[in-house]
Amino acid sequence: MLFLLVRIGADRYAIDAVNIVEVLPLVAIKRIPRSAPGIAGIFDYRGAAVPAIDLTLLALGHEAKDLLSTRIVIVDQADGKGGSRALGLIAEGATETMRLVETDFVEFGIANGSAPYLGPVTRGPRGLIQRIELERLLPESVRDLLFAPALAG
Amino acid sequence: MNDLTIRQRIVAGFGFVLIVMIAMELVAYSRLTIVQGEVTKLRVNSLPGLYHSAELLNAWETRYGLTERMVAQTGATDQLLQQYASNADEEASILRQYEGDVLGDDGRKAFVEFEAVRSSYQLAEAQVRQLSSSNRNKDAARDALRRTLDPDFAKLRASLQGIVASNRDNAINSAQQMNQAVGSTVDTLFVSFVVGALVALLCGYLVQRDITAILHRVAGIANQIAGGDLDVEPAERRSGEIGMLLAAFDRMVASLKGLANSAELIAGGNLTVAIVPQSTQDLMGNAFANMVHSLSTLVTEVHKSGIALNSSLTEIAATSKEQQATATGTAATATEIGATSNEISATSRALVKTVGEVALVAEETATLAAGGQAGLVHMDETMFNIMEAGAVINAKLTILSEKAANINQVVTTITKVADQTNLLSLNAAIEAEKAGDAGRGFSVVAIEIRRLADQTAVATYDIEQMVKEILSAISAGVMGMDKFSEAVRSGKQEVEQIGAQLSQIIERVRALAPRVEFVNEGIQAQASGAEQITQSLVHLTTAAQQMVESLQVSTQAVDELNRVSTGLRGGVSNFKSAA
């Protein structure tokens, strides 16, 4: 299985390539004041306003650095009602892919209630890699809020 | 006679003279009163009567003359009549005045007779004048004149002559009486003067004789006392002023004897004598009391002073010996100073030589400094060249910096291309994965592309680093050049300052030459001064030796003085002081 490797802080994380639509360079993000935690704002993707989640902001509380390697990863996000929607993830160090075996990932045994999107880990050539579970990335309430305008539209 | 006081004698003598003078005065007064009466008579009656009667005789003579001329003259008689009238007025006036002068019964009788004769003459004269008023009767008038008027005029003249003679007799009589009275007065006055003078001489002689005798005696006593001899025999008891004077002399002698005894006691050293002044006016008593008091104080003081003098003399003797030692030391020191002064003189001569060398060195220094100044000017130019070269280097570095910035831009472009390539390869790999087995080959290509992109990125990173290093090196070089320029500029300023200082040094060194000359003169003057000091010190040494000798003499004098002081204290101890 192919995974896109990203960095949050100093650690490396993996996103399943199956869910990835496209990797884009960092574009201008329209900020949304007083939004839910981790929401960086919205941006224009092929004529549609797509919400963007800053993984660094979500996990560590500070915005991702503005580097060439910091990119927007467009993923398909299940809306919980049988459909899916495009969602932008702002991630640092999104410059390489890696082929990993599904069974190599193991639960590390520490329950993490506040960050349910962090899944099992595996060993990579430069240390441990933790998988990001996209379906658990947003709480339901936030997901409903994000995708409600689309339903109405 | 001896019992009378001097006052009584003088009063008696002068009183007797006074009585004589009063008697003389009374006699003179009575005589002179008579003279005064006669003089009054002479002045008031006799002399005016004589004068007026003579006048009257004259007037009548004139009148008779006028009548004769009238009778003799023919023609105008107006002038004669006029003279006639004035003569009549004059005669009447004289007659009135004479009436007051008539004196005595004889005079009165003569005057009455004259009046009768005058009346008869006037009648006869009137008749003659009547006849002579017309020219025809001139002969008759002449006849009447001869017959009646001439006898009447003869009687009138005789009567008037009698009156004149009577008046003359009166005047002579008065004068004779006056003469007699004055003569008796002169006699009286002469006698009185002689008597008074004799009495006064007698009284004066008596008084003078007594007073002179007493005063001679008193003067003898006073002379004896004045000569210091107090053994005066007591005077006999007498009353009056002389007695009082002699008693006062006795008291004075007694008092003086008491004081003399006290003085003897004091002279003998007994100062406990009690001197009681008789009053505050008693000069001698007070003076003796003061003297005893002062002597007591003096003796005490002298006693104390003798002791103090003794100790002082001891001190003076010690001091004198010390001074002697000091003077000897001074002489030795003076000799040493003389040697030192000679050394100073020699050193001064050596200094003169050294100063000459200093002048030479100063000239060399000035020359060297001038050479240094020229070198500094050259150095200043070099510094300027260095500064210009620094500016050129700075410009080159700026150009280099710009080039490096251009390289940076190229690197950025390469980086962007590599980034795009990486992104592309990522998306390609993802797409190939989604395509499954069909995309397997494409996936390999994508990975290869990404590897190349990553290598490019690494290479560009390296270039970027190098360019950054170059840029920092350039900026460091620019800063270094700036510092260098600054250092060169400040060095240039310092060189200029050093040049100015060298100029000053040259100036000072050149100014040194006359001062060195001045110093030279001063040192020579010092050398000659030192020689003079040496000579003076020789004199000083001689003086110190003389002082030693004189101090020895003064030590002997102090010893003598000490002996005298001891004698003085012995003499003072003879006085027994009341204090």
Side-chain angles (χ1 to χ4, degrees):
Chain A
M1 288 177 73
L2 192 70
F3 288 86
L4 179 67
L5 296 184
V6 299
R7 237 182 17 244
I8 298 174
D11 301 320
R12 298 189 73 82
Y13 293 84
I15 300 170
D16 193 350
V18 175
N19 296 320
I20 297 171
V21 179
E22 197 180 354
V23 181
L24 300 173
L26 192 58
V27 297
I29 305 292
K30 161 72 176 78
R31 309 271 169 191
I32 298 174
R34 300 179 66 81
S35 55
I39 309 276
I42 54 173
F43 68 99
D44 177 64
Y45 175 60
R46 299 181 197 277
V50 174
I53 293 168
D54 189 333
L55 289 178
T56 313
L57 187 64
L58 187 70
L60 301 177
H62 62 80
E63 286 187 354
K65 292 174 197 158
D66 187 7
L67 301 170
L68 277 177
S69 62
T70 301
R71 289 165 177 169
I72 297 176
V73 182
I74 307 290
V75 295
D76 265 336
Q77 177 73 21
D79 58 4
K81 297 182 177 93
S84 70
R85 278 219 47 184
L87 182 67
L89 302 178
I90 299 171
E92 291 182 356
T95 55
E96 63 182 309
T97 55
M98 185 171 282
R99 198 159 291 279
L100 297 169
V101 184
E102 174 75 47
T103 52
D104 286 349
F105 283 99
V106 292
E107 294 291 338
F108 52 87
I110 300 171
N112 196 341
S114 60
Y117 50 88
L118 298 178
V121 297
T122 185
R123 182 177 291 123
R126 285 172 292 188
L128 292 175
I129 299 167
Q130 189 167 25
R131 203 168 75 191
I132 294 173
E133 306 291 350
L134 291 176
E135 58 270 22
R136 293 205 294 264
L137 193 63
L138 295 172
E140 273 188 31
S141 57
V142 177
R143 192 172 60 197
D144 291 347
L145 272 173
L146 281 177
F147 299 140
L151 285 178
Chain B
M1 188 69 184
N2 278 348
D3 290 342
L4 287 176
T5 65
I6 294 170
R7 192 174 71 86
Q8 285 165 339
R9 289 179 204 194
I10 291 169
V11 166
F14 277 93
F16 201 74
V17 171
L18 196 65
I19 287 163
V20 170
M21 281 173 72
I22 287 167
M24 189 174 79
E25 181 64 25
L26 283 174
V27 171
Y29 179 75
S30 69
R31 298 290 176 194
L32 286 175
T33 307
I34 294 167
V35 172
Q36 192 182 24
E38 288 302 320
V39 166
T40 305
K41 210 162 101 182
L42 196 63
R43 182 173 59 82
V44 174
N45 299 108
S46 301
L47 286 176
L50 187 62
Y51 172 72
H52 287 132
S53 58
E55 285 267 287
L56 210 56
L57 182 59
N58 188 33
W60 280 110
E61 292 279 2
T62 308
R63 186 160 174 162
Y64 178 70
L66 284 170
T67 310
E68 276 190 322
R69 277 172 68 187
M70 189 176 269
V71 170
Q73 196 174 345
T74 55
T77 57
D78 287 348
Q79 195 186 354
L80 287 172
L81 283 172
Q82 207 174 349
Q83 286 180 3
Y84 196 88
S86 76
N87 178 265
D89 286 346
E90 193 183 349
E91 188 268 342
S93 156
I94 295 167
L95 193 65
R96 267 199 311 281
Q97 286 176 358
Y98 181 71
E99 271 185 64
D101 301 334
V102 176
L103 194 67
D105 293 337
D106 293 344
R108 180 77 44 202
K109 197 172 152 191
F111 187 66
V112 172
E113 281 177 12
F114 167 72
E115 291 260 293
V117 172
R118 180 173 171 260
S119 299
S120 75
Y121 176 82
Q122 276 177 330
L123 282 173
E125 188 202 54
Q127 198 178 1
V128 170
R129 278 169 64 184
Q130 184 70 39
L131 287 169
S132 68
S133 60
S134 69
N135 289 332
R136 287 174 293 135
N137 296 336
K138 288 283 179 188
D139 294 334
R142 221 169 281 139
D143 185 52
L145 181 70
R146 293 279 174 262
R147 273 192 297 112
T148 59
L149 200 60
D150 281 351
D152 277 352
F153 183 68
K155 276 192 240 172
L156 186 69
R157 187 190 280 165
S159 172
L160 274 173
Q161 281 172 345
I163 287 171
V164 168
S166 160
N167 277 316
R168 190 196 61 210
D169 292 345
N170 276 339
I172 290 166
N173 190 29
S174 291
Q176 279 174 348
Q177 281 191 3
M178 271 159 59
N179 196 11
Q180 198 178 349
V182 167
S184 68
T185 306
V186 167
D187 293 344
T188 312
L189 280 176
F190 179 71
V191 171
S192 306
F193 171 73
V194 169
V195 171
L198 286 174
V199 168
L201 277 173
L202 184 66
C203 290
Y205 171 72
L206 290 174
V207 170
Q208 179 264 344
R209 190 194 59 185
D210 261 23
I211 289 173
T212 308
I214 293 160
L215 284 179
H216 271 304
R217 187 169 148 61
V218 171
I221 295 169
N223 262 331
Q224 199 179 348
I225 293 166
D229 182 6
L230 295 181
D231 289 333
V232 182
E233 57 190 67
E236 68 271 34
R237 287 188 172 276
R238 287 182 63 163
S239 60
E241 292 91 339
I242 303 302
M244 284 161 68
L245 188 61
L246 292 172
F249 261 98
D250 286 345
R251 272 183 61 203
M252 186 175 81
V253 168
S255 171
L256 283 173
K257 276 181 179 168
L259 286 174
N261 287 334
S262 301
E264 279 293 329
L265 286 172
I266 291 162
N270 183 6
L271 294 178
T272 56
V273 183
I275 306 277
V276 182
Q278 295 174 14
S279 69
T280 52
Q281 307 295 324
D282 184 2
L283 284 178
M284 284 288 272
N286 279 319
F288 258 79
N290 286 339
M291 186 182 78
V292 169
H293 180 68
S294 301
L295 272 175
S296 296
T297 316
L298 180 68
V299 164
T300 315
E301 288 296 320
V302 168
H303 191 67
K304 287 181 190 168
S305 303
I307 295 166
L309 183 64
N310 236 15
S311 65
S312 299
L313 283 172
T314 313
E315 282 177 20
I316 288 167
T319 312
S320 181
K321 275 168 191 156
E322 277 178 21
Q323 279 180 350
Q324 211 172 314
T326 311
T328 314
T330 304
T333 311
T335 313
E336 284 174 18
I337 292 170
T340 312
S341 182
N342 280 330
E343 280 177 23
I344 288 170
S345 184
T347 312
S348 295
R349 284 196 199 93
L351 265 175
V352 169
K353 195 179 160 193
T354 311
V355 164
E357 287 169 8
V358 166
L360 281 175
V361 171
E363 278 173 25
E364 283 173 16
T365 306
T367 314
L368 287 175
Q373 204 180 22
L376 276 175
V377 170
H378 183 64
M379 193 170 166
D380 195 36
E381 287 167 8
T382 311
M383 285 285 209
F384 186 72
N385 290 341
I386 289 169
M387 271 173 70
E388 282 189 338
V392 170
I393 290 167
N394 247 0
K396 299 287 184 198
L397 280 174
T398 308
I399 291 166
L400 205 61
S401 184
E402 281 169 11
K403 299 287 183 196
N406 288 345
I407 292 168
N408 229 7
Q409 279 180 1
V410 173
V411 167
T412 305
T413 308
I414 294 167
T415 309
K416 277 181 182 169
V417 169
D419 179 62
Q420 290 292 323
T421 312
N422 174 269
L423 197 60
L424 198 63
S425 74
L426 277 183
N427 283 320
I430 289 164
E431 285 304 319
E433 181 66 18
K434 282 178 186 169
D437 291 340
R440 189 73 62 191
F442 190 69
S443 171
V444 172
V445 173
I447 288 166
E448 199 58 32
I449 290 167
R450 197 174 69 229
R451 201 175 56 81
L452 285 171
D454 287 351
Q455 283 178 356
T456 309
V458 168
T460 55
Y461 181 75
D462 287 349
I463 293 166
E464 207 177 333
Q465 289 300 316
M466 284 157 73
V467 168
K468 274 182 187 167
E469 282 170 10
I470 289 166
L471 277 175
S472 73
I474 288 167
S475 65
V478 168
M479 280 167 68
M481 277 312 292
D482 282 347
K483 281 185 183 171
F484 178 68
S485 298
E486 190 60 37
V488 168
R489 201 173 290 123
S490 69
K492 192 170 179 286
Q493 283 179 358
E494 282 171 9
V495 165
E496 283 168 3
Q497 278 183 4
I498 291 165
Q501 285 168 356
L502 274 176
S503 296
Q504 285 183 359
I505 287 168
I506 291 164
E507 209 175 295
R508 297 279 169 86
V509 167
R510 279 179 188 152
L512 211 58
R515 293 189 192 181
V516 166
E517 186 59 34
F518 187 66
V519 169
N520 213 350
E521 286 172 10
I523 289 168
Q524 279 170 357
Q526 194 185 352
S528 66
E531 282 169 14
Q532 284 176 4
I533 288 168
T534 310
Q535 289 174 3
S536 304
L537 282 169
V538 170
H539 291 314
L540 182 65
T541 311
T542 316
Q545 281 165 356
Q546 286 174 356
M547 190 176 165
V548 168
E549 287 165 12
S550 62
L551 279 169
Q552 283 168 351
V553 172
S554 74
T555 308
Q556 288 172 3
V558 164
D559 288 342
E560 184 66 18
L561 207 57
N562 211 348
R563 202 176 56 75
V564 171
S565 168
T566 313
L568 177 68
R569 276 201 296 165
V572 167
S573 64
N574 288 337
F575 281 92
K576 283 183 285 177
S577 179

